[in-house]
Amino acid sequence: MAFPAISTVHEGYKVFAVVDASGTYSKMAQEITLARVVQAGVVPIDIGAVAAELQRTWNRKGAQEWANVYTKIFPPYRFLIKSYIKAQEVVTKDEMLELQRA
């Protein structure tokens, strides 16, 4: 990741490096490389940030598919999604009851 990222910055581009998608043989090598690319002007991001940039908003068609993507990146995220879906069911049910009472 380091050599192409640094070279591309020197060519005048803004470069984002997905640091959790590139590997190395040691934690020290990872830290040294990250420091080096940041010094060169590369912006480090992770796969979650990439997904968020591609998604842009929850107010879009396919939002549920994006929720599935996030559960692959962050497995505990599925609990948040389940909680949100349950809350929406409760709100919808309450709204229906209000309409029936009116």
Side-chain angles (χ1 to χ4, degrees):
M1 171 271 297
F3 294 119
I6 292 169
S7 296
T8 307
V9 166
H10 286 299
E11 290 178 17
Y13 292 93
K14 184 163 188 163
V15 178
F16 295 82
V18 185
V19 295
D20 57 344
S22 39
T24 187
Y25 55 89
S26 74
K27 184 71 174 162
M28 185 175 70
Q30 178 187 13
E31 291 171 3
I32 291 168
T33 300
L34 184 57
R36 194 165 125 236
V37 297
V38 167
Q39 257 185 338
V42 176
V43 179
I45 61 174
D46 67 1
I47 192 66
V50 172
E53 290 288 332
L54 293 172
Q55 177 191 6
R56 296 191 184 262
T57 180
W58 283 106
N59 188 19
R60 64 180 287 172
K61 272 187 163 178
Q64 182 61 43
E65 288 81 10
W66 280 102
N68 292 333
V69 168
Y70 287 107
T71 64
K72 302 290 187 247
I73 298 169
F74 314 110
Y77 195 78
R78 72 181 178 281
F79 299 120
L80 177 64
I81 298 301
K82 286 180 181 181
S83 175
Y84 174 79
I85 291 169
K86 184 63 177 173
Q88 292 302 307
E89 289 170 0
V90 169
V91 168
T92 302
K93 184 179 177 183
D94 287 348
E95 289 173 354
M96 294 302 286
L97 289 173
E98 286 294 319
L99 286 174
Q100 289 173 355
R101 290 182 197 142

mmCIF file of all heavy atoms in Angstrom, residues 15-62:
data_model
loop_
_atom_site.group_PDB
_atom_site.id
_atom_site.type_symbol
_atom_site.label_atom_id
_atom_site.label_comp_id
_atom_site.label_asym_id
_atom_site.label_seq_id
_atom_site.Cartn_x
_atom_site.Cartn_y
_atom_site.Cartn_z
ATOM 1 N N VAL A 15 -5.047 10.946 -1.700
ATOM 2 C CA VAL A 15 -5.037 9.484 -1.581
ATOM 3 C C VAL A 15 -5.553 9.056 -0.209
ATOM 4 O O VAL A 15 -5.150 9.599 0.819
ATOM 5 C CB VAL A 15 -3.601 8.928 -1.776
ATOM 6 C CG1 VAL A 15 -3.574 7.425 -1.616
ATOM 7 C CG2 VAL A 15 -3.059 9.349 -3.135
ATOM 8 N N PHE A 16 -6.445 8.091 -0.236
ATOM 9 C CA PHE A 16 -6.952 7.464 0.978
ATOM 10 C C PHE A 16 -6.470 6.016 0.961
ATOM 11 O O PHE A 16 -6.637 5.327 -0.039
ATOM 12 C CB PHE A 16 -8.484 7.491 1.008
ATOM 13 C CG PHE A 16 -9.048 8.868 1.096
ATOM 14 C CD1 PHE A 16 -9.186 9.645 -0.042
ATOM 15 C CD2 PHE A 16 -9.431 9.395 2.320
ATOM 16 C CE1 PHE A 16 -9.705 10.928 0.034
ATOM 17 C CE2 PHE A 16 -9.952 10.676 2.409
ATOM 18 C CZ PHE A 16 -10.089 11.444 1.260
ATOM 19 N N ALA A 17 -5.889 5.576 2.057
ATOM 20 C CA ALA A 17 -5.392 4.202 2.149
ATOM 21 C C ALA A 17 -6.237 3.427 3.151
ATOM 22 O O ALA A 17 -6.388 3.851 4.297
ATOM 23 C CB ALA A 17 -3.935 4.190 2.572
ATOM 24 N N VAL A 18 -6.773 2.308 2.707
ATOM 25 C CA VAL A 18 -7.583 1.465 3.582
ATOM 26 C C VAL A 18 -6.617 0.590 4.382
ATOM 27 O O VAL A 18 -6.171 -0.457 3.927
ATOM 28 C CB VAL A 18 -8.573 0.604 2.770
ATOM 29 C CG1 VAL A 18 -9.491 -0.167 3.699
ATOM 30 C CG2 VAL A 18 -9.381 1.475 1.813
ATOM 31 N N VAL A 19 -6.302 1.047 5.590
ATOM 32 C CA VAL A 19 -5.226 0.424 6.344
ATOM 33 C C VAL A 19 -5.568 -0.958 6.875
ATOM 34 O O VAL A 19 -4.678 -1.792 7.026
ATOM 35 C CB VAL A 19 -4.732 1.330 7.495
ATOM 36 C CG1 VAL A 19 -4.099 2.589 6.944
ATOM 37 C CG2 VAL A 19 -5.838 1.672 8.455
ATOM 38 N N ASP A 20 -6.838 -1.233 7.133
ATOM 39 C CA ASP A 20 -7.151 -2.571 7.630
ATOM 40 C C ASP A 20 -7.320 -3.580 6.494
ATOM 41 O O ASP A 20 -7.576 -4.751 6.734
ATOM 42 C CB ASP A 20 -8.368 -2.569 8.564
ATOM 43 C CG ASP A 20 -9.621 -1.994 7.937
ATOM 44 O OD1 ASP A 20 -9.523 -1.318 6.899
ATOM 45 O OD2 ASP A 20 -10.705 -2.208 8.504
ATOM 46 N N ALA A 21 -7.137 -3.135 5.253
ATOM 47 C CA ALA A 21 -7.198 -4.048 4.118
ATOM 48 C C ALA A 21 -5.798 -4.374 3.597
ATOM 49 O O ALA A 21 -5.655 -5.022 2.574
ATOM 50 C CB ALA A 21 -8.043 -3.442 3.004
ATOM 51 N N SER A 22 -4.788 -3.895 4.289
ATOM 52 C CA SER A 22 -3.426 -4.218 3.879
ATOM 53 C C SER A 22 -2.695 -4.813 5.075
ATOM 54 O O SER A 22 -2.910 -4.408 6.207
ATOM 55 C CB SER A 22 -2.701 -2.979 3.357
ATOM 56 O OG SER A 22 -3.004 -1.841 4.104
ATOM 57 N N GLY A 23 -1.883 -5.763 4.810
ATOM 58 C CA GLY A 23 -1.235 -6.466 5.904
ATOM 59 C C GLY A 23 0.274 -6.368 5.842
ATOM 60 O O GLY A 23 0.852 -5.959 4.847
ATOM 61 N N THR A 24 0.879 -6.756 6.940
ATOM 62 C CA THR A 24 2.331 -6.778 7.019
ATOM 63 C C THR A 24 2.749 -7.865 8.006
ATOM 64 O O THR A 24 1.898 -8.543 8.583
ATOM 65 C CB THR A 24 2.887 -5.392 7.424
ATOM 66 O OG1 THR A 24 4.308 -5.432 7.337
ATOM 67 C CG2 THR A 24 2.454 -4.996 8.810
ATOM 68 N N TYR A 25 4.000 -8.006 8.199
ATOM 69 C CA TYR A 25 4.514 -9.106 9.014
ATOM 70 C C TYR A 25 4.613 -8.791 10.505
ATOM 71 O O TYR A 25 4.825 -9.677 11.309
ATOM 72 C CB TYR A 25 5.891 -9.551 8.484
ATOM 73 C CG TYR A 25 6.889 -8.430 8.398
ATOM 74 C CD1 TYR A 25 7.698 -8.119 9.475
ATOM 75 C CD2 TYR A 25 7.008 -7.679 7.238
ATOM 76 C CE1 TYR A 25 8.602 -7.079 9.409
ATOM 77 C CE2 TYR A 25 7.909 -6.636 7.156
ATOM 78 C CZ TYR A 25 8.708 -6.338 8.242
ATOM 79 O OH TYR A 25 9.593 -5.310 8.167
ATOM 80 N N SER A 26 4.476 -7.500 10.896
ATOM 81 C CA SER A 26 4.567 -7.186 12.319
ATOM 82 C C SER A 26 3.822 -5.895 12.643
ATOM 83 O O SER A 26 3.603 -5.052 11.762
ATOM 84 C CB SER A 26 6.029 -7.046 12.757
ATOM 85 O OG SER A 26 6.584 -5.832 12.294
ATOM 86 N N LYS A 27 3.475 -5.734 13.884
ATOM 87 C CA LYS A 27 2.803 -4.519 14.351
ATOM 88 C C LYS A 27 3.722 -3.311 14.173
ATOM 89 O O LYS A 27 3.275 -2.236 13.768
ATOM 90 C CB LYS A 27 2.394 -4.694 15.824
ATOM 91 C CG LYS A 27 1.623 -3.554 16.373
ATOM 92 C CD LYS A 27 0.223 -3.493 15.790
ATOM 93 C CE LYS A 27 -0.593 -2.416 16.463
ATOM 94 N NZ LYS A 27 -1.761 -2.039 15.697
ATOM 95 N N MET A 28 4.997 -3.485 14.446
ATOM 96 C CA MET A 28 5.945 -2.384 14.302
ATOM 97 C C MET A 28 6.029 -1.932 12.841
ATOM 98 O O MET A 28 6.010 -0.727 12.555
ATOM 99 C CB MET A 28 7.336 -2.772 14.798
ATOM 100 C CG MET A 28 8.303 -1.598 14.763
ATOM 101 S SD MET A 28 9.925 -1.953 15.462
ATOM 102 C CE MET A 28 10.603 -3.060 14.255
ATOM 103 N N ALA A 29 6.104 -2.870 11.925
ATOM 104 C CA ALA A 29 6.159 -2.510 10.503
ATOM 105 C C ALA A 29 4.886 -1.770 10.094
ATOM 106 O O ALA A 29 4.947 -0.801 9.327
ATOM 107 C CB ALA A 29 6.336 -3.760 9.656
ATOM 108 N N GLN A 30 3.759 -2.200 10.635
ATOM 109 C CA GLN A 30 2.493 -1.529 10.338
ATOM 110 C C GLN A 30 2.516 -0.079 10.824
ATOM 111 O O GLN A 30 2.142 0.846 10.089
ATOM 112 C CB GLN A 30 1.341 -2.278 10.995
ATOM 113 C CG GLN A 30 -0.011 -1.629 10.795
ATOM 114 C CD GLN A 30 -1.099 -2.319 11.605
ATOM 115 O OE1 GLN A 30 -0.824 -3.129 12.484
ATOM 116 N NE2 GLN A 30 -2.322 -1.989 11.303
ATOM 117 N N GLU A 31 2.976 0.140 12.045
ATOM 118 C CA GLU A 31 3.009 1.487 12.618
ATOM 119 C C GLU A 31 3.993 2.397 11.880
ATOM 120 O O GLU A 31 3.703 3.568 11.625
ATOM 121 C CB GLU A 31 3.335 1.411 14.103
ATOM 122 C CG GLU A 31 2.203 0.795 14.912
ATOM 123 C CD GLU A 31 2.568 0.512 16.359
ATOM 124 O OE1 GLU A 31 3.691 0.850 16.780
ATOM 125 O OE2 GLU A 31 1.716 -0.048 17.064
ATOM 126 N N ILE A 32 5.144 1.863 11.532
ATOM 127 C CA ILE A 32 6.143 2.650 10.806
ATOM 128 C C ILE A 32 5.608 3.037 9.425
ATOM 129 O O ILE A 32 5.732 4.186 9.000
ATOM 130 C CB ILE A 32 7.471 1.870 10.678
ATOM 131 C CG1 ILE A 32 8.132 1.744 12.049
ATOM 132 C CG2 ILE A 32 8.408 2.525 9.671
ATOM 133 C CD1 ILE A 32 9.280 0.763 12.078
ATOM 134 N N THR A 33 5.013 2.091 8.749
ATOM 135 C CA THR A 33 4.465 2.354 7.416
ATOM 136 C C THR A 33 3.337 3.371 7.489
ATOM 137 O O THR A 33 3.274 4.296 6.665
ATOM 138 C CB THR A 33 3.963 1.051 6.773
ATOM 139 O OG1 THR A 33 5.065 0.148 6.663
ATOM 140 C CG2 THR A 33 3.368 1.307 5.398
ATOM 141 N N LEU A 34 2.462 3.233 8.461
ATOM 142 C CA LEU A 34 1.357 4.176 8.614
ATOM 143 C C LEU A 34 1.886 5.589 8.867
ATOM 144 O O LEU A 34 1.430 6.558 8.252
ATOM 145 C CB LEU A 34 0.425 3.727 9.739
ATOM 146 C CG LEU A 34 -0.825 4.568 9.949
ATOM 147 C CD1 LEU A 34 -1.655 4.648 8.672
ATOM 148 C CD2 LEU A 34 -1.654 3.991 11.080
ATOM 149 N N ALA A 35 2.870 5.709 9.734
ATOM 150 C CA ALA A 35 3.454 7.022 10.001
ATOM 151 C C ALA A 35 4.067 7.608 8.737
ATOM 152 O O ALA A 35 3.921 8.807 8.453
ATOM 153 C CB ALA A 35 4.510 6.911 11.108
ATOM 154 N N ARG A 36 4.733 6.781 7.979
ATOM 155 C CA ARG A 36 5.392 7.229 6.748
ATOM 156 C C ARG A 36 4.386 7.724 5.717
ATOM 157 O O ARG A 36 4.570 8.774 5.104
ATOM 158 C CB ARG A 36 6.223 6.077 6.177
ATOM 159 C CG ARG A 36 7.181 6.523 5.127
ATOM 160 C CD ARG A 36 8.213 5.427 4.879
ATOM 161 N NE ARG A 36 8.177 5.121 3.468
ATOM 162 C CZ ARG A 36 7.962 3.931 2.948
ATOM 163 N NH1 ARG A 36 7.783 2.894 3.705
ATOM 164 N NH2 ARG A 36 7.947 3.762 1.662
ATOM 165 N N VAL A 37 3.301 6.984 5.510
ATOM 166 C CA VAL A 37 2.327 7.400 4.506
ATOM 167 C C VAL A 37 1.560 8.649 4.955
ATOM 168 O O VAL A 37 1.244 9.507 4.140
ATOM 169 C CB VAL A 37 1.363 6.263 4.088
ATOM 170 C CG1 VAL A 37 2.111 5.114 3.436
ATOM 171 C CG2 VAL A 37 0.514 5.779 5.217
ATOM 172 N N VAL A 38 1.292 8.753 6.249
ATOM 173 C CA VAL A 38 0.615 9.953 6.763
ATOM 174 C C VAL A 38 1.506 11.175 6.558
ATOM 175 O O VAL A 38 1.037 12.230 6.136
ATOM 176 C CB VAL A 38 0.203 9.769 8.242
ATOM 177 C CG1 VAL A 38 -0.216 11.093 8.870
ATOM 178 C CG2 VAL A 38 -0.925 8.751 8.361
ATOM 179 N N GLN A 39 2.802 11.030 6.853
ATOM 180 C CA GLN A 39 3.751 12.131 6.629
ATOM 181 C C GLN A 39 3.771 12.565 5.172
ATOM 182 O O GLN A 39 3.942 13.740 4.869
ATOM 183 C CB GLN A 39 5.158 11.698 7.022
ATOM 184 C CG GLN A 39 5.606 12.232 8.335
ATOM 185 C CD GLN A 39 7.063 11.842 8.599
ATOM 186 O OE1 GLN A 39 7.606 10.888 8.047
ATOM 187 N NE2 GLN A 39 7.688 12.608 9.467
ATOM 188 N N ALA A 40 3.560 11.622 4.275
ATOM 189 C CA ALA A 40 3.576 11.926 2.839
ATOM 190 C C ALA A 40 2.267 12.551 2.369
ATOM 191 O O ALA A 40 2.179 13.016 1.237
ATOM 192 C CB ALA A 40 3.866 10.655 2.044
ATOM 193 N N GLY A 41 1.242 12.541 3.239
ATOM 194 C CA GLY A 41 -0.025 13.165 2.865
ATOM 195 C C GLY A 41 -1.152 12.202 2.565
ATOM 196 O O GLY A 41 -2.233 12.613 2.133
ATOM 197 N N VAL A 42 -0.920 10.929 2.778
ATOM 198 C CA VAL A 42 -1.970 9.927 2.574
ATOM 199 C C VAL A 42 -2.923 9.978 3.766
ATOM 200 O O VAL A 42 -2.495 10.131 4.907
ATOM 201 C CB VAL A 42 -1.354 8.518 2.439
ATOM 202 C CG1 VAL A 42 -2.432 7.457 2.322
ATOM 203 C CG2 VAL A 42 -0.401 8.467 1.250
ATOM 204 N N VAL A 43 -4.208 9.847 3.491
ATOM 205 C CA VAL A 43 -5.215 9.848 4.546
ATOM 206 C C VAL A 43 -5.573 8.402 4.880
ATOM 207 O O VAL A 43 -6.118 7.691 4.036
ATOM 208 C CB VAL A 43 -6.484 10.614 4.104
ATOM 209 C CG1 VAL A 43 -7.537 10.598 5.202
ATOM 210 C CG2 VAL A 43 -6.142 12.033 3.678
ATOM 211 N N PRO A 44 -5.272 7.959 6.107
ATOM 212 C CA PRO A 44 -5.626 6.580 6.462
ATOM 213 C C PRO A 44 -7.110 6.473 6.814
ATOM 214 O O PRO A 44 -7.664 7.344 7.485
ATOM 215 C CB PRO A 44 -4.756 6.297 7.693
ATOM 216 C CG PRO A 44 -4.499 7.639 8.292
ATOM 217 C CD PRO A 44 -4.526 8.623 7.159
ATOM 218 N N ILE A 45 -7.756 5.427 6.321
ATOM 219 C CA ILE A 45 -9.148 5.130 6.656
ATOM 220 C C ILE A 45 -9.281 3.628 6.841
ATOM 221 O O ILE A 45 -8.353 2.876 6.537
ATOM 222 C CB ILE A 45 -10.132 5.637 5.582
ATOM 223 C CG1 ILE A 45 -9.873 4.988 4.216
ATOM 224 C CG2 ILE A 45 -10.095 7.150 5.462
ATOM 225 C CD1 ILE A 45 -10.901 5.329 3.164
ATOM 226 N N ASP A 46 -10.441 3.203 7.327
ATOM 227 C CA ASP A 46 -10.671 1.762 7.452
ATOM 228 C C ASP A 46 -11.836 1.358 6.559
ATOM 229 O O ASP A 46 -12.475 2.198 5.925
ATOM 230 C CB ASP A 46 -10.899 1.354 8.914
ATOM 231 C CG ASP A 46 -12.191 1.905 9.491
ATOM 232 O OD1 ASP A 46 -12.951 2.590 8.792
ATOM 233 O OD2 ASP A 46 -12.453 1.636 10.673
ATOM 234 N N ILE A 47 -12.105 0.076 6.509
ATOM 235 C CA ILE A 47 -13.134 -0.443 5.609
ATOM 236 C C ILE A 47 -14.522 0.092 5.974
ATOM 237 O O ILE A 47 -15.362 0.293 5.099
ATOM 238 C CB ILE A 47 -13.106 -1.996 5.549
ATOM 239 C CG1 ILE A 47 -13.952 -2.527 4.405
ATOM 240 C CG2 ILE A 47 -13.535 -2.601 6.864
ATOM 241 C CD1 ILE A 47 -13.439 -2.165 3.043
ATOM 242 N N GLY A 48 -14.751 0.356 7.254
ATOM 243 C CA GLY A 48 -16.023 0.941 7.667
ATOM 244 C C GLY A 48 -16.223 2.325 7.065
ATOM 245 O O GLY A 48 -17.323 2.681 6.629
ATOM 246 N N ALA A 49 -15.161 3.119 7.027
ATOM 247 C CA ALA A 49 -15.233 4.450 6.421
ATOM 248 C C ALA A 49 -15.480 4.359 4.925
ATOM 249 O O ALA A 49 -16.228 5.168 4.360
ATOM 250 C CB ALA A 49 -13.951 5.227 6.707
ATOM 251 N N VAL A 50 -14.883 3.382 4.271
ATOM 252 C CA VAL A 50 -15.111 3.186 2.842
ATOM 253 C C VAL A 50 -16.585 2.871 2.596
ATOM 254 O O VAL A 50 -17.220 3.452 1.707
ATOM 255 C CB VAL A 50 -14.212 2.067 2.267
ATOM 256 C CG1 VAL A 50 -14.602 1.734 0.838
ATOM 257 C CG2 VAL A 50 -12.748 2.464 2.343
ATOM 258 N N ALA A 51 -17.129 1.967 3.387
ATOM 259 C CA ALA A 51 -18.545 1.615 3.239
ATOM 260 C C ALA A 51 -19.432 2.831 3.456
ATOM 261 O O ALA A 51 -20.376 3.071 2.693
ATOM 262 C CB ALA A 51 -18.923 0.499 4.210
ATOM 263 N N ALA A 52 -19.144 3.620 4.471
ATOM 264 C CA ALA A 52 -19.945 4.819 4.751
ATOM 265 C C ALA A 52 -19.856 5.825 3.604
ATOM 266 O O ALA A 52 -20.860 6.442 3.244
ATOM 267 C CB ALA A 52 -19.494 5.454 6.065
ATOM 268 N N GLU A 53 -18.669 5.990 3.037
ATOM 269 C CA GLU A 53 -18.521 6.909 1.905
ATOM 270 C C GLU A 53 -19.313 6.428 0.694
ATOM 271 O O GLU A 53 -19.930 7.231 -0.007
ATOM 272 C CB GLU A 53 -17.043 7.056 1.530
ATOM 273 C CG GLU A 53 -16.221 7.817 2.531
ATOM 274 C CD GLU A 53 -16.518 9.306 2.533
ATOM 275 O OE1 GLU A 53 -16.922 9.861 1.494
ATOM 276 O OE2 GLU A 53 -16.328 9.927 3.585
ATOM 277 N N LEU A 54 -19.283 5.142 0.443
ATOM 278 C CA LEU A 54 -20.037 4.597 -0.692
ATOM 279 C C LEU A 54 -21.544 4.686 -0.454
ATOM 280 O O LEU A 54 -22.306 4.985 -1.363
ATOM 281 C CB LEU A 54 -19.638 3.144 -0.950
ATOM 282 C CG LEU A 54 -18.219 2.923 -1.437
ATOM 283 C CD1 LEU A 54 -17.887 1.441 -1.466
ATOM 284 C CD2 LEU A 54 -18.024 3.534 -2.816
ATOM 285 N N GLN A 55 -21.960 4.432 0.763
ATOM 286 C CA GLN A 55 -23.378 4.458 1.105
ATOM 287 C C GLN A 55 -23.941 5.874 1.062
ATOM 288 O O GLN A 55 -25.038 6.097 0.581
ATOM 289 C CB GLN A 55 -23.594 3.862 2.490
ATOM 290 C CG GLN A 55 -25.034 3.926 2.925
ATOM 291 C CD GLN A 55 -25.222 3.587 4.376
ATOM 292 O OE1 GLN A 55 -24.277 3.393 5.118
ATOM 293 N NE2 GLN A 55 -26.463 3.524 4.779
ATOM 294 N N ARG A 56 -23.232 6.812 1.620
ATOM 295 C CA ARG A 56 -23.564 8.229 1.716
ATOM 296 C C ARG A 56 -24.707 8.539 2.677
ATOM 297 O O ARG A 56 -24.626 9.481 3.421
ATOM 298 C CB ARG A 56 -23.869 8.840 0.353
ATOM 299 C CG ARG A 56 -22.687 8.836 -0.564
ATOM 300 C CD ARG A 56 -22.947 9.677 -1.795
ATOM 301 N NE ARG A 56 -21.840 9.584 -2.702
ATOM 302 C CZ ARG A 56 -20.877 10.477 -2.777
ATOM 303 N NH1 ARG A 56 -20.895 11.524 -2.007
ATOM 304 N NH2 ARG A 56 -19.894 10.321 -3.634
ATOM 305 N N THR A 57 -25.806 7.820 2.641
ATOM 306 C CA THR A 57 -26.955 8.129 3.493
ATOM 307 C C THR A 57 -27.793 6.880 3.736
ATOM 308 O O THR A 57 -27.790 5.958 2.924
ATOM 309 C CB THR A 57 -27.844 9.221 2.855
ATOM 310 O OG1 THR A 57 -28.945 9.487 3.720
ATOM 311 C CG2 THR A 57 -28.382 8.788 1.505
ATOM 312 N N TRP A 58 -28.502 6.882 4.857
ATOM 313 C CA TRP A 58 -29.439 5.790 5.124
ATOM 314 C C TRP A 58 -30.758 6.041 4.398
ATOM 315 O O TRP A 58 -31.566 5.144 4.249
ATOM 316 C CB TRP A 58 -29.697 5.667 6.634
ATOM 317 C CG TRP A 58 -28.582 4.999 7.350
ATOM 318 C CD1 TRP A 58 -27.662 5.586 8.150
ATOM 319 C CD2 TRP A 58 -28.250 3.613 7.329
ATOM 320 N NE1 TRP A 58 -26.778 4.659 8.631
ATOM 321 C CE2 TRP A 58 -27.115 3.441 8.137
ATOM 322 C CE3 TRP A 58 -28.792 2.497 6.695
ATOM 323 C CZ2 TRP A 58 -26.522 2.193 8.341
ATOM 324 C CZ3 TRP A 58 -28.203 1.262 6.898
ATOM 325 C CH2 TRP A 58 -27.083 1.124 7.714
ATOM 326 N N ASN A 59 -30.974 7.268 3.965
ATOM 327 C CA ASN A 59 -32.214 7.634 3.299
ATOM 328 C C ASN A 59 -32.096 7.331 1.806
ATOM 329 O O ASN A 59 -32.030 8.226 0.973
ATOM 330 C CB ASN A 59 -32.517 9.122 3.532
ATOM 331 C CG ASN A 59 -33.877 9.507 3.035
ATOM 332 O OD1 ASN A 59 -34.747 8.660 2.836
ATOM 333 N ND2 ASN A 59 -34.072 10.795 2.820
ATOM 334 N N ARG A 60 -32.057 6.057 1.484
ATOM 335 C CA ARG A 60 -31.889 5.630 0.101
ATOM 336 C C ARG A 60 -32.473 4.236 -0.077
ATOM 337 O O ARG A 60 -32.640 3.492 0.885
ATOM 338 C CB ARG A 60 -30.418 5.629 -0.280
ATOM 339 C CG ARG A 60 -29.600 4.622 0.538
ATOM 340 C CD ARG A 60 -28.147 4.585 0.206
ATOM 341 N NE ARG A 60 -27.934 3.950 -1.078
ATOM 342 C CZ ARG A 60 -26.779 3.914 -1.704
ATOM 343 N NH1 ARG A 60 -25.732 4.479 -1.173
ATOM 344 N NH2 ARG A 60 -26.655 3.314 -2.848
ATOM 345 N N LYS A 61 -32.769 3.904 -1.310
ATOM 346 C CA LYS A 61 -33.163 2.531 -1.618
ATOM 347 C C LYS A 61 -31.998 1.622 -1.273
ATOM 348 O O LYS A 61 -30.845 1.988 -1.444
ATOM 349 C CB LYS A 61 -33.480 2.383 -3.108
ATOM 350 C CG LYS A 61 -34.872 2.675 -3.484
ATOM 351 C CD LYS A 61 -35.087 2.317 -4.943
ATOM 352 C CE LYS A 61 -36.550 2.217 -5.239
ATOM 353 N NZ LYS A 61 -36.815 1.912 -6.634
ATOM 354 N N GLY A 62 -32.306 0.449 -0.803
ATOM 355 C CA GLY A 62 -31.242 -0.486 -0.488
ATOM 356 C C GLY A 62 -30.606 -0.281 0.863
ATOM 357 O O GLY A 62 -29.542 -0.833 1.136
#
